[in-house]
């Protein structure tokens, strides 16, 4: 099972589930998880999920998704 925060959201409910999942994780660890390496996985997954949009943006953002 994939943690809700790491799934690419497709609906508003998915966004809320991700938000709630990471908030609960922070509560459970008293904030000690902080900016663990997992935030990079979520960031990169977001880039991949939005690659078509980012390719349409001129400038440096488009260079992020040269696949």
């Amino acid at each position: 099972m994939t943690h809700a925060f790491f799934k690419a959201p497709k609906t508003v409910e998915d966004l809320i589930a991700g938000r709630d999942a990471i908030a609960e994780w922070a509560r459970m660890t008293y904030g000690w998880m902080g900016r663990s390496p997992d935030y990079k996985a979520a960031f990169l997954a977001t880039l991949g999920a939005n690659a078509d949009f980012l390719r349409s943006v001129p400038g440096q953002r488009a260079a992020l998704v040269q696949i």
Side-chain angles (χ1 to χ4, degrees), residues 22-40:
I22 202 67
E24 182 60 26
W25 198 349
R27 279 192 289 275
M28 288 171 49
T29 62
Y30 297 96
W32 280 97
M33 287 300 287
R35 289 181 57 109
S36 67
D38 296 332
Y39 83 95
K40 289 183 182 179

Side-chain angles (χ1 to χ4, degrees), residues 1-47:
M1 173 180 233
T2 302
H3 193 276
F5 183 68
F6 300 115
K7 293 181 185 175
K10 294 182 176 35
T11 65
V12 171
E13 290 79 17
D14 292 344
L15 284 169
I16 292 169
R19 177 201 65 191
D20 292 346
I22 202 67
E24 182 60 26
W25 198 349
R27 279 192 289 275
M28 288 171 49
T29 62
Y30 297 96
W32 280 97
M33 287 300 287
R35 289 181 57 109
S36 67
D38 296 332
Y39 83 95
K40 289 183 182 179
F43 173 72
L44 293 175
T46 301
L47 286 179

